Amino acid sequence: MQAVQFSTHGDRDVLEYGDFPDPEIDRDEVLIDVKAAALNYLDIWTRRGLPGIDLEMPHIPGSDAAGVVEAVGEDVTRFEAGELVSVLAGKSGGDDEFTRKGDPTLAPDFHIIGEHVRGVHSEYAAVPAANLAPVPEGVDWETAAAAPLVFQTAWRMLRDRGGLQAGEKVLVLGASGGVGHAAVQIADLAGAEVFATASSEEKLGYAEEIGADHTIDYEETDFASEIREMTDGRGVDMVVDHVGAQTWQSSLESLVKGGRVVTCGATTGGTPETDLNRIFWNQLSVIGSTMATPGQAEEVLELVWDGTLEPRIRETFPMSEIASAHEMLENREGFGKVVVVPDSEL
C-alpha cells in the first residue's frame, strides 16, 4: 500500500508518501480501506519528536481517518465487511482500575494511535475494533475523518471535565483550530455566552458563524484586557486554553473569581510561568483533559452525524502532498481541519 511515513524526526522534509507493507490484522482488529484522513497538531509534534516516546521507524502518523471495513479479525463481532467507520484514537490495555471504572483515558497505559503507535494516514489501516465508531450512510468522508479527535476532546473537556452550564461565559482561545472550532460549537450548544479569539477578521467571522457571540483578534489586542472590558470587569467563568505558554497568564487574568481554565494541549509550550497568588486568592481551578471515553466520543459524534455540530474543512490535499498539509497547519492558515485523501481515491 501507499502510506505517509517518516524514518527520522525533523522538519516537513522528512515526510514521504510511498510503499509500505500492507497491514495484517490481529484477532481483535479491523482492516479499514481508508477514504479520508485528517491532521491534528499532534501530527506536527509527533513528526518533530516528543520526549519519552520512542517510535518504531518508519512511522505512519495520523490519528483521524474514516473508511470502509475491508476485513475483520476472528474475535470481532461489532463490525462486518462493508460497514462505514471512523477511528477513535485513544487506546488502553483495559486491565486497570480506571478502565474497569469506565474511564480508559486515565489508564496508566493509555496511548494514542498515530502518536505512540503507527497511525492511519495510509491507504489501509489495521485498528482495534474497540477504536472504531460506526458512521451512518450519507455522512461525507471528509466530515467522518475530521470530526472524531477534536470533537471528542472538546466535548469531554467542556462538558464532563469542565462542567459548563447554560448561561455561563466561556472564552475559547484559538477558535480557528480543530479543538477551538469544536469548542465554540459545543459551548454554544450548551447555552453559554461564547467569547472567541483568532488572528484575522476572516477567522473571527467564521467563529461568529459557528456560534461565537463575541470575538477578539489576539494579534491586535490583549485578550485578557478585552475580556475585562466586555464583561464590565467581571471576567469569564471558563477559559478553554489549548495554546499553552504563550497565553497562560492572560487566561488566568480573564477568569472571574472561582472560575476555571480547562486545557487539553500546549501548542506553544508546556511549561508556562504561572501566577500561584492569583490561583489561590481567586480560588481558580485548573482542569486537564485528554481525549474522551468511547461513550463520550460516540455521544458527540451522533451530533456531528445529524448535522447539529459541523467540522469545518480548511482544505483537502492528496496524501502525496502531506508536507503542504503540515505546512498549512504549522502556519495557522485557514479555519478548521486539514484533510488528506489517499491518492488512489482521487
Side-chain angles (χ1 to χ4, degrees), residues 51-272:
I53 299 179
D54 185 17
L55 296 174
E56 180 183 358
M57 295 293 187
H59 179 70
I60 299 175
S63 304
D64 270 330
V68 179
V69 173
E70 184 84 1
V72 301
E74 53 194 283
D75 292 343
V76 175
T77 58
R78 288 184 64 216
F79 299 102
E80 297 179 352
E83 293 189 285
L84 316 182
V85 293
S86 280
V87 174
L88 306 178
K91 175 68 176 167
S92 77
D95 188 22
D96 64 271
E97 60 175 307
F98 301 103
T99 302
R100 289 193 296 272
K101 292 175 182 177
D103 196 342
T105 68
L106 298 174
D109 66 346
F110 183 77
H111 59 279
I112 298 175
I113 293 169
E115 178 184 9
H116 303 90
V117 296
R118 282 179 179 158
V120 291
H121 287 176
S122 52
E123 289 183 313
Y124 293 91
V127 178
N131 285 88
L132 296 173
V135 177
E137 293 280 355
V139 176
D140 65 84
W141 290 124
E142 288 184 334
T143 295
L149 191 144
V150 295
F151 276 90
Q152 68 173 293
T153 298
W155 184 257
R156 174 182 171 90
M157 179 169 53
L158 272 70
R159 193 200 66 161
D160 296 278
R161 297 287 292 146
L164 184 63
Q165 300 294 314
E168 289 192 307
K169 301 178 189 297
V170 57
L171 168 62
V172 178
L173 304 186
S176 65
V179 168
H181 94 299
V184 168
Q185 294 180 62
I186 291 167
D188 179 54
L189 183 66
E193 183 178 359
V194 184
F195 300 75
T197 72
S199 61
S200 71
E201 286 301 315
E202 182 181 23
K203 292 177 181 178
L204 293 173
Y206 282 129
E208 290 177 345
E209 284 183 15
I210 62 173
D213 299 294
H214 315 277
T215 59
I216 301 168
D217 186 335
Y218 66 78
E219 291 194 341
E220 297 294 328
T221 186
D222 172 57
F223 70 79
S225 298
E226 286 291 304
I227 287 294
R228 288 293 170 185
E229 184 174 337
M230 290 177 171
T231 60
D232 296 323
R234 177 187 184 273
V236 296
D237 300 284
M238 177 187 290
V239 176
V240 179
D241 188 338
H242 53 96
V243 181
Q246 193 176 85
T247 55
W248 190 251
Q249 279 295 107
S250 294
S251 291
L252 297 179
E253 292 169 12
S254 300
L255 288 168
V256 68
K257 279 196 169 187
R260 58 227 191 259
V261 57
V262 292
T263 178
C264 65
T267 56
T268 62
T271 54

Side-chain angles (χ1 to χ4, degrees), residues 1-7 15-23 57-60 118 121-124 319-320 343-344:
M1 69 173 180
Q2 298 286 292
V4 175
Q5 56 197 284
F6 56 82
S7 296
L15 293 165
E16 300 177 10
Y17 184 65
D19 292 338
F20 199 92
D22 291 341
M57 295 293 187
H59 179 70
I60 299 175
R118 282 179 179 158
H121 287 176
S122 52
E123 289 183 313
Y124 293 91
M319 280 190 182
S320 59
D343 288 40
S344 57

Side-chain angles (χ1 to χ4, degrees), residues 37-48 50 61-65 87-90 112-115 120-121 144-154 177-182 242 264 267 291 311 314 322 325-330 336-340:
L39 269 67
N40 298 282
Y41 213 89
L42 179 60
D43 298 311
I44 307 299
W45 290 117
T46 303
R47 188 201 74 218
R48 293 173 180 171
L50 289 162
S63 304
D64 270 330
V87 174
L88 306 178
I112 298 175
I113 293 169
E115 178 184 9
V120 291
H121 287 176
L149 191 144
V150 295
F151 276 90
Q152 68 173 293
T153 298
V179 168
H181 94 299
H242 53 96
C264 65
T267 56
M291 303 292 284
R314 302 187 195 195
I322 188 64
H326 274 235
E327 183 178 18
M328 173 169 279
L329 207 59
E330 287 181 286
K337 294 279 286 184
V338 177
V339 171
V340 290

